[in-house]
Amino acid sequence: MRLRALLDTDALGLRLLGGEDELDRTVRGVMTTDLKDPSRYLSGGELVLTGLAWRHDSGDSEPFVRILAGAGVAALAAGEAEQGDIPADLVLACTRHRLPLFAVNESVAFATITEHVVRQVSGERAGDLAAVVDRHRRMMTSGPAGGGPDVVLDLLGSDLDLRAWVLSPTGRPIAGADHNGPGLPAGVCAKLAAEHLAASRTGRRGPHRVAVGPTTYSLFPIRSSGRATAASRDVRETVLSDWLLAVEADAGDWPEERLDLLQGVTQLISVERDRRDAARTVRRRLAQEVLELVQTGAAPAEIAARLRVAAPVLLPGLGAAPHWQVVVARVEWEGGDIEGGPVAQSLLEEILVDPLLTGPEHSDRIAVAHTGDEAIALVPLPAVSSEHDGSESGLLADSLLEAVRDPLSAGLNDDGRLTLGVSAAVHSAEGLRGALEEARHARRVAAARPGRVCAAGHQELASHVLLLPFVPDDVRRAFTARLLDPLRDYDRRHRAELIPTLEAFLDCDGSWTRCATRLHLHVNTLRYRVGRIEQLTGRDLSRLEDKLDFFLALRMS
């Protein structure tokens, strides 16, 4: 805003004492001070309000005005409440340094002037930023993106003093962490993502306000413009794949203009999201081609040829042929009327990224196909194995879900499930079909477990575990209840810890000494507990068959 506009506002009670030729100066902020040297708090363009408490004699005016002029302030406004008329030495000093000087009527509070300036300047900044966002949107729509989401987040920070981050549905920072001040802690990111997904599932419109400790965040959904988002679409089709914009502010009392501006920012970022999805087309096509070859029983030489094409795309600059792992994920919703494959595909592309990495580009080394409710990822691993223990580096099922379990559980709510299986690494095309079946069976093992988000890896596919997913649920429940419910009831009444004792006894292969040592019990106490288990269940823990039944019951419970 201009100084002239302040002078024309009667409610502010300003009277011009000097600097009529400078009234077209721009006011960028306001500051109230009675310090002799306020320079450390000035950045230029301010209207400085003062009650003149810093002035003790006529010699104080010159250095004070010189400091203000040197800092590039727009004007000085002095209150008449303390000294009545503005001192002549102050008027002369302002004239000498070409600093516009206003007198503030004693009936007008500095807070009134401050509120007016802040409101006007913020509105103009928002308008300027809206114009910048609109130009940037047109440029990004018609040509290559100019810096991606970080450019827009920088504008929010510099023009509206808003700290903001773009987060994936699992809470991984996509943009903002390095460009907008300190990054958000991982726990805060996960909390914001979970709250956003939970609010989206209720159908509430954004922004969603969330308090994390003393800080309030407003969460704006970033919906891909490449997918239909009409009201008729089921929210479950997109909720687990949409990004979100987290703003460190309470948007509850924002005017409509500012809310519209932030909505424009989300639309702009969605353009970048669509570009990223388009860039994944090649990798997705490679995965689909390899998957079709494997499932149709193509010759290993043909599969190997496709893998040779995929390797440079997924691991540029790699010298030796990589090893491969297969990851299978399935998203299922109650009712079965929503195809979960596309959502599972987007989730796998997100889950398989290192959660410590920031930015959208780190999933470039993952190729994911989907069919029906199932998504299948082909993950290349550098062919590096340990010569000391014979083990190979690779993905572990539990660690994949560790950082994303809470947000995804919130998004799945009470009517969805995500199950995931991971194969062992294979070194050639010949092993890829077996790896696919191994990952699929590991996923079925995960599906037999309770919980909304479950995973299993190839390490868990022991012979007895292979059979468990094929046992009907009601049979498993009846079997475990018959064996374990008497022990649970007894533990509940007597705090006897028979279930932990049974687990430890089986884990120690029936060794009385090792089990007693592990549980810090006397052997006689252990013998008493085992005897009580046998009495309550009618089983004999010296018999192999009964040991196996207990082992399976504990595994299925």
Side-chain angles (χ1 to χ4, degrees):
M1 66 180 303
R2 306 288 183 181
L3 288 174
R4 193 180 306 280
L6 289 175
L7 191 61
D8 293 340
T9 305
D10 294 336
L12 300 183
L14 297 177
R15 181 164 49 91
L16 183 64
L17 301 180
E20 186 174 358
D21 295 338
E22 305 292 335
L23 290 180
D24 286 326
R25 289 189 181 186
T26 299
V27 179
R28 296 187 177 88
V30 63
M31 175 192 171
T32 300
T33 184
D34 276 311
L35 296 174
K36 278 190 172 184
D37 182 3
S39 57
R40 74 183 68 178
Y41 305 109
L42 297 170
S43 58
E46 295 91 351
L47 171 67
V48 175
L49 305 174
T50 180
L52 301 178
W54 50 267
R55 183 185 178 278
H56 300 292
D57 56 51
S58 60
D60 291 336
S61 294
E62 169 64 26
F64 181 78
V65 173
R66 185 172 61 248
I67 289 169
L68 298 189
V73 303
L76 174 65
E80 296 178 323
E82 290 292 329
Q83 301 190 22
D85 292 339
I86 305 302
D89 50 89
L90 180 59
V91 176
L92 289 174
C94 288
T95 300
R96 188 178 301 115
H97 290 280
R98 302 181 62 84
L99 182 66
L101 175 63
F102 297 100
V104 182
N105 190 283
E106 63 181 352
S107 65
V108 178
F110 282 177
T112 301
I113 300 174
T114 299
E115 182 181 354
H116 177 82
V117 172
V118 169
R119 185 168 57 248
Q120 294 297 317
V121 170
S122 296
E124 290 176 1
R125 282 184 177 177
D128 292 343
L129 181 59
V132 172
V133 168
D134 186 59
R135 289 197 303 272
H136 203 65
R137 182 191 297 115
R138 289 198 299 269
M139 285 192 307
M140 292 180 70
T141 303
S142 60
D150 283 310
V151 171
V152 187
L153 299 187
D154 284 344
L155 288 172
L156 288 177
S158 62
D159 281 32
L160 293 185
D161 297 324
L162 292 176
R163 300 178 71 215
W165 297 264
V166 177
L167 304 179
S168 77
T170 64
R172 186 175 62 87
I174 300 296
D178 296 326
H179 296 257
N180 224 25
L184 290 175
V188 174
C189 291
K191 170 74 171 175
L192 295 179
E195 294 287 346
H196 168 72
L197 289 173
S200 298
R201 285 303 311 273
T202 65
R204 288 193 288 120
R205 294 185 60 186
H208 311 301
R209 288 177 289 160
V210 178
V212 182
T215 306
T216 299
Y217 298 88
S218 296
L219 310 179
F220 295 80
I222 301 173
R223 297 188 172 91
S224 172
S225 59
R227 296 188 303 269
T229 56
S232 59
R233 289 288 295 265
D234 193 307
V235 67
R236 294 176 294 180
E237 295 183 58
T238 58
V239 67
L240 295 178
S241 55
D242 285 335
W243 288 354
L244 68 137
L245 176 67
V247 181
E248 191 181 280
D250 188 343
D253 56 355
W254 281 6
E256 286 297 324
E257 293 79 6
R258 178 167 286 206
L259 288 173
D260 289 344
L261 172 62
L262 267 293
Q263 294 296 347
V265 169
T266 64
Q267 292 169 15
L268 180 56
I269 296 172
S270 74
V271 174
E272 188 67 13
R273 169 69 186 271
D274 291 341
R275 292 190 188 280
R276 189 211 62 163
D277 286 345
R280 286 181 169 178
T281 301
V282 173
R283 296 187 297 278
R284 288 174 170 175
R285 186 180 300 122
L286 282 172
Q288 197 72 43
E289 290 175 356
V290 173
L291 175 63
E292 290 174 1
L293 290 174
V294 170
Q295 294 191 127
T296 57
E302 188 177 358
I303 299 174
R306 298 309 302 160
L307 292 178
R308 283 195 295 271
V309 172
V313 175
L314 302 177
L315 286 177
L318 186 69
H323 296 170
W324 302 89
Q325 271 183 288
V326 176
V327 182
V328 173
R330 192 177 183 91
V331 172
E332 297 172 289
W333 303 100
E334 289 182 7
D337 55 342
I338 299 174
E339 186 181 5
V343 176
Q345 183 181 44
S346 295
L347 279 181
L348 263 191
E349 289 171 338
E350 170 62 28
I351 290 171
L352 294 174
V353 179
D354 186 334
L356 299 179
L357 296 176
T358 301
E361 72 281 357
H362 298 288
S363 57
D364 289 354
R365 298 183 176 186
I366 301 158
V368 184
H370 79 82
T371 174
D373 290 331
E374 184 180 71
I376 300 166
L378 189 65
V379 183
L381 305 171
V384 178
S385 61
S386 170
E387 297 179 358
H388 301 287
D389 59 9
S391 64
E392 298 176 353
S393 61
L395 303 172
L396 298 177
D398 288 338
S399 61
L400 285 177
L401 296 180
E402 184 176 352
V404 302
R405 191 181 304 275
D406 289 344
L408 293 183
S409 296
L412 292 163
N413 202 1
D414 294 328
D415 59 348
R417 287 200 80 197
L418 167 66
T419 52
L420 184 145
V422 182
S423 78
V426 295
H427 311 158
S428 64
E430 287 85 349
L432 209 53
R433 184 178 180 85
L436 175 59
E437 292 307 315
E438 188 174 56
R440 279 176 166 161
H441 195 83
R443 191 208 63 77
R444 288 192 289 270
V445 170
R449 296 172 176 169
R452 290 290 166 190
V453 181
C454 298
H458 64 92
Q459 303 93 337
E460 303 175 65
L461 300 185
S463 57
H464 61 277
V465 180
L466 288 172
L467 302 175
L468 297 184
F470 301 102
V471 179
D473 288 345
D474 54 348
V475 174
R476 282 191 282 121
R477 283 193 294 268
F479 180 73
T480 56
R482 185 168 62 253
L483 275 179
L484 301 183
D485 279 1
L487 306 182
R488 291 181 179 133
D489 293 341
Y490 190 88
D491 282 347
R492 193 162 42 248
R493 292 196 307 271
H494 303 284
R495 298 182 180 179
E497 297 188 348
L498 296 185
I499 292 288
T501 300
L502 176 61
E503 291 174 331
F505 185 72
L506 295 174
D507 197 41
C508 292
D509 299 324
S511 169
W512 297 98
T513 303
R514 282 194 290 129
C515 185
T517 301
R518 174 182 293 191
L519 296 175
H520 306 289
L521 297 175
H522 192 278
V523 172
N524 288 341
T525 303
L526 176 61
R527 291 185 183 277
Y528 171 80
R529 288 188 182 180
V530 169
R532 178 64 66 184
I533 291 170
E534 293 175 334
Q535 180 184 13
L536 290 170
T537 60
R539 300 298 186 107
D540 182 354
L541 278 169
S542 65
R543 297 179 67 247
L544 176 61
E545 293 86 348
D546 289 342
K547 285 181 182 178
L548 181 59
D549 282 351
F550 277 121
F551 177 79
L552 292 174
L554 290 169
R555 268 306 185 86
M556 289 188 291
S557 64

